[in-house]
Amino acid sequence: DVKVTQSSRYLVKRTGEKVFLECVQDMDHENMFWYRQDPGLGLRLIYFSYDVKMKEKGDIPEGYSVSREKKERFSLILESASTNQTSMYLCASSLWELGIRNTEAFFGQGTRLTVV
Amino acid sequence: TQLLEQSPQFLSIQEGENLTVYCNSSSVFSSLQWYRQEPGEGPVLLVTVVTGGEVKKLKRLTFQFGDARKDSSLHITAAQPGDTGLYLCAGEKDTDKLIFGTGTRLQVFP
């Protein structure tokens, strides 16, 4: 059974704190993604990574950074948490196959982060 | 700027009714996926459409990819309470970057 695991379901942090959200996948997928989900806005891509140590900015990277030191692990970092970063954060992974550009994304259960 | 706009944003219907959800963009996508998300869970893939004009059926769900590969629709026939959830379209652009739509929240009442 394929699995994407996010380290926390719920998190409460104070404004200005540095926050780490961890994501691990056991499917040997090359691609990993971090999205945030807000009502009426769907999922917005923060960062994605197509290989170890590689990262690409998504649509809303400001205030975030990422780390991919190992293939199975993709971390999202909030350098200095702010209240407007209160949201549901979803991690996903997908397989990269040459010539096949429509691989399924597998999601974790999400981390609901509240910044107070 | 949201690349993929879904409509309607909310849909509340009675069991047995039909409905259509739309996913529109001004961009061309190499493929279009539809996901369903239930409360407390991550989205789960329903279908992928690749060719312009392609139609795929999944039991009572019919998915269509626009001829120009800029839009898609999801039609549900005789909706059931088990269809309740958040429906998300997602377009693939460039190096496997997946862009999601704004979402349609469907509630089907018995």
Side-chain angles (χ1 to χ4, degrees):
Chain A
D1 197 20
V2 296
K3 214 159 175 70
V4 178
T5 304
Q6 293 182 230
S7 52
S8 305
R9 291 294 299 268
Y10 301 93
L11 216 49
V12 179
K13 295 291 181 180
R14 294 195 179 277
T15 301
E17 276 192 77
K18 190 167 186 175
V19 182
F20 293 86
L21 302 184
E22 305 286 347
C23 175
V24 177
Q25 50 97 0
D26 64 0
M27 296 166 282
D28 202 34
H29 284 170
E30 289 81 7
N31 300 331
M32 295 189 76
F33 308 83
W34 274 106
Y35 295 90
R36 64 176 282 177
Q37 184 172 27
D38 301 286
L41 298 176
L43 275 67
R44 291 181 292 167
L45 183 63
I46 304 171
Y47 268 97
F48 70 105
S49 169
Y50 52 88
D51 202 351
V52 175
K53 297 192 188 293
M54 305 302 288
K55 60 186 179 185
E56 292 284 338
K57 290 181 180 179
D59 299 316
I60 51 164
E62 295 78 21
Y64 304 94
S65 62
V66 289
S67 172
R68 187 138 181 230
E69 295 297 318
K70 293 185 178 181
K71 190 176 185 180
E72 67 269 20
R73 186 179 298 269
F74 193 34
S75 304
L76 179 70
I77 304 151
L78 285 67
E79 297 292 342
S80 176
S82 63
T83 54
N84 63 14
Q85 292 178 309
T86 291
S87 186
M88 170 69 85
Y89 289 87
L90 287 161
C91 174
S93 72
S94 71
L95 188 65
W96 184 89
E97 293 182 17
L98 184 64
I100 301 174
R101 299 175 62 106
N102 50 25
T103 58
E104 176 179 2
F106 292 88
F107 282 85
Q109 289 182 297
T111 297
R112 185 164 292 283
L113 172 68
T114 303
V115 183
V116 298
Chain B
T1 304
Q2 203 79 20
L3 276 180
L4 278 168
E5 295 284 342
Q6 287 183 237
S7 60
Q9 188 175 355
F10 299 99
L11 202 49
S12 186
I13 61 172
Q14 292 292 131
E15 182 176 1
E17 289 185 39
N18 301 332
L19 66 114
T20 302
V21 176
Y22 299 93
C23 173
N24 295 301
S25 175
S26 56
S27 299
V28 176
F29 293 97
S30 56
S31 68
L32 205 296
Q33 299 175 346
W34 283 93
Y35 290 77
R36 185 170 78 196
Q37 184 180 20
E38 299 189 16
E41 303 292 330
V44 175
L45 181 70
L46 295 172
V47 80
T48 301
V49 284
V50 180
T51 308
E54 182 177 2
V55 176
K56 277 192 176 177
K57 288 184 187 259
L58 193 68
K59 296 182 182 177
R60 292 176 293 99
L61 279 60
T62 302
F63 304 85
Q64 183 161 10
F65 201 11
D67 291 340
R69 292 186 288 125
K70 292 183 179 181
D71 54 79
S72 181
S73 63
L74 156 61
H75 182 79
I76 301 180
T77 304
Q80 305 292 314
D83 296 327
T84 293
L86 178 68
Y87 289 81
L88 293 155
C89 63
E92 186 178 44
K93 284 179 72 67
D94 306 325
T95 55
D96 297 298
K97 182 177 173 180
L98 260 185
I99 304 297
F100 277 81
T102 48
T104 295
R105 190 165 294 283
L106 172 66
Q107 177 80 52
V108 182
F109 292 98

